Structure formats: structure tokens, C-alpha cells
DNA sequence: TGCTAATATTGAGAAAGTCAATGATTTGTC
DNA sequence: GACAAATCATTGACTTTCTCAATATTAGCA
């Protein structure tokens, strides 16, 4: 995927020529110190990159996440998946429908509760996931290129503690 | 604001009663180790919380961010603001229109380029921002309550390095 | 048994993101 | 200095995503 805006294109194409002053000017603003701002930016750019790399598999990160859960061996119900991924139940059915139509996952009966349906990956789903994981690993590699391995672990650990 | 989904309500209301098994079951999944997943979750929940706390000012985090930039003293043009906040130019005009109608910011002529317009906060805008910052500080406090001050700085620093 | 709550699903409507076209203006080149 | 190409803000169309309420089925409970 090409840079999303002309402005991005400018900045991406010539790091040596700060875009009419560059954005370093804003890095000291109060906003730029807020963790909320930093996480928003990180997720926005990480998402865009991952979507680009997943495009040749006809996947985006949202369906990829659902597939990953179905491949995890944890047998989540749709509602468990929904709360884990912060998705509305109606979004879950849309995503599951798509992946099921594609033959990547299956809805199975929950033996403990006939209202709920459990998600499992098919053979093809596991293969698709294997392909997709390579892409997302590459995306993470690029996203975190400025950090050492130890720092990456540290970041993971800190983020885990604030979201769980 | 009440919890956004019935599932959230369940989890939020009784941390002692893990929702039919709880989500700890999924915390060891591959997905939960991905920084992309963690940042998405962090930004999603942080955003929701901040929006809740800003609601009484009739603000959301997006317009708040624009206001913050206008109050920063850096006099950004609309396009600079757009690339800093990862917003499409058309989204910028909508946000700026709204805040200008509200009397919080003004578009001023750019002496160096008559095509571009510079954003500055009005008196009322600065007052609104002062109110809003209290809310977002509180949101950050709640979001990061599990981290020590040193760890919060560390998180900020690591995130800064991956997004700038 | 009957009452309340939870699950998946549908569908409507609002919000957010994407993209192309345009007028005014600037920049680069001859 | 003139001309072509690029940039900025803006508009409008369009798609995707989010949010909510309503519903049928099933569980759990008194």
C-alpha cells in the first residue's frame, strides 16, 4: 500500500527534507506526551502497515485476529471472542460469517450451552494463519525496528499490564 | 457512561466472578503477545474511557486533539495537523469547522503561504482545553494505574521511539 | 413452572475513514 | 517573466466500521 496521504508521501520519500519545518516542532507539545496519543498513533500506523502486508492474502487485521483466536486451541465462543477483541456481537457474526464462507473457520456447538457457538479453525484456516503470521511478524519487526529485543519485551510487558 | 457492551458489564461488575472461565484463558495466545494487539486494545479502551470523561464537555478525543494542537502555541497549518494526527484533509476541515463554529479555535491566514490556514485557539478555546485536560489526565491516570511513575515514563519513551 | 438473563443474529442508523475532483496559490523550470 | 507541475483547503460521494435496539432460542433460578 502506498502512503495514505500526499503529505505522508512527501515525508516518506525524503526524510532529509523535513516537510516545511517537519513535525519535530510538535513533538514537544502536551499532546505528544500523552500515552493516549502515542498508542493511537502506534496502533494507527501499525494497523495500516499490517493491512498492507496482509493484502495479498485478502485479509485485514480484524479478520486475522479472529482467525488467530480460532487457531489458538482455546475454543472461544463468539461472545468470548467479542469481549477479548472489543467487538460488538454484531461485528463478530459478520467477521465469522466471512471467515466461515471462506472455509477458514467453523462454528461448532457448545456442549455446555446450546445458545453459544464455539469457533475452531479448519485445516485451510490453519494454513492461512501460518501465511498470515509471517506477514504480521514482518509488520511488527518494522514497527519496532527502533527498539532492542529487551526493549521490545519491556514494551510488551508494560502494555500487557495496562490492558489486562 | 455505562460499560459499552453487556459482556463488558458482566466483567466490570464482578471481577471476582470470572466470566464463565474469564479471559485469562486467552492471555497466553499468540495474538495476545503481539504488540499490535496490545496497542489496539490499549488505544480502544483508553479512547472509550477518555470519551466518557470528556462527554460532559461535549467533546471527544478527536476534537480534543485538534484543540490541543491549536492551544500548543505551535500554530500548525491544517495539513500539518492532519499529518501529525493521521487525519485525512477532509476530516480536518470537518473537525476544524466544528470547533470554529463552537468558538474554540480560529483559522488565520498564513503569512508565508496564502493557500494554507493556521489554527489558533481563542480565549474560550483555551478555557475549554483547560477543562478537557483535567479529564484526559484522569483518564490516563486510570489507564496507567497498574504502572509506577518510572514505568509510565518508560512506556512513554518506548512508544515515542516507535511512532516518531 | 414461570421469570430473568444471556447468546447469537438481524437490521437500522450514526460515525469514521477513503478517494477523486476543484479553485486558489506556490514552486520549479525554461 | 511565463508556463507547467505540485500543494493546500475544500467539497462531495462512497465504503467501512461502530453503535444500538429488537428478536428467537436457551440457561439459570426461585
Amino acid at each position: 500500500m502506498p502512503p495514505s496521504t500526499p503529505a505522508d508521501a512527501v515525508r516518506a520519500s525524503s526524510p532529509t527534507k523535513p516537510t516545511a519545518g517537519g513535525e519535530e516542532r510538535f513533538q514537544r507539545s502536551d499532546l505528544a506526551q500523552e500515552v493516549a496519543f502515542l498508542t493511537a498513533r502506534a496502533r494507527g500506523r501499525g494497523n495500516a502497515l499490517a493491512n498492507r502486508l496482509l493484502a495479498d492474502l485478502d485479509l485485514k487485521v480484524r479478520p486475522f485476529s479472529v482467525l488467530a483466536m480460532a487457531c489458538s486451541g482455546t475454543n472461544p465462543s463468539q461472545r468470548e471472542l467479542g469481549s477479548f477483541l472489543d467487538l460488538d456481537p454484531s461485528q463478530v457474526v459478520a467477521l465469522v460469517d466471512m471467515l466461515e464462507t471462506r472455509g477458514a473457520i467453523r462454528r461448532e456447538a457448545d456442549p455446555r450451552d446450546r445458545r453459544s457457538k464455539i469457533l475452531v479453525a479448519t485445516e485451510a484456516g490453519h494454513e492461512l494463519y501460518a501465511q498470515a503470521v509471517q506477514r504480521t511478524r514482518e509488520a511488527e519487526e518494522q514497527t519496532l525496528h527502533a527498539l532492542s529485543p529487551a526493549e521490545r519485551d519491556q514494551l510488551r510487558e508494560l502494555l500487557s499490564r495496562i490492558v489486562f
Side-chain angles (χ1 to χ4, degrees), chain A:
Chain A
M1 181 177 120
S4 43
T5 70
D8 283 341
V10 168
R11 268 181 304 126
S13 62
S14 66
T16 54
K17 180 204 170 197
T19 306
E23 68 177 15
E24 313 83 36
R25 207 165 107 242
F26 308 120
Q27 289 183 26
R28 266 119 201 136
S29 65
D30 288 352
L31 186 63
Q33 313 301 317
E34 292 188 18
V35 171
F37 168 80
L38 297 169
T39 55
R41 215 167 132 118
R43 97 99 203 188
R45 305 202 165 182
N47 236 251
L49 175 59
N51 280 338
R52 253 178 282 161
L53 297 183
L54 287 170
D56 65 322
L57 297 177
D58 211 6
L59 270 185
K60 295 191 175 186
V61 329
R62 217 49 96 97
F64 164 78
S65 302
V66 174
L67 179 59
M69 292 299 289
C71 287
S72 68
T74 58
N75 296 334
S77 71
Q78 291 189 192
R79 105 148 231 300
E80 287 174 323
L81 181 136
S83 29
F84 195 65
L85 300 182
D86 289 324
L87 295 172
D88 185 87
S90 64
Q91 294 179 277
V92 174
V93 330
L95 287 161
V96 169
D97 278 352
M98 164 200 286
L99 287 169
E100 194 171 40
T101 298
R102 226 176 130 158
I105 68 178
R106 261 198 326 266
R107 284 182 237 238
E108 291 194 352
D110 183 339
R112 308 182 153 238
D113 187 340
R114 286 190 304 176
R115 288 171 303 180
S116 84
K117 301 175 183 173
I118 281 176
L119 303 176
V120 292
T122 63
E123 187 77 20
H126 278 99
E127 287 167 21
L128 178 59
Y129 178 64
Q131 302 277 314
V133 167
Q134 294 182 300
R135 272 57 166 201
T136 59
R137 280 204 212 294
E138 171 61 20
E140 180 153 317
E141 170 59 32
Q142 285 185 237
T143 302
L144 303 183
H145 80 275
L147 304 186
S148 72
E151 288 170 330
R152 296 177 190 197
D153 288 343
Q154 211 163 40
L155 178 60
R156 243 185 294 272
E157 210 262 329
L158 292 171
L159 286 172
S160 288
R161 283 173 44 207
I162 74 177
V163 300
F164 288 133

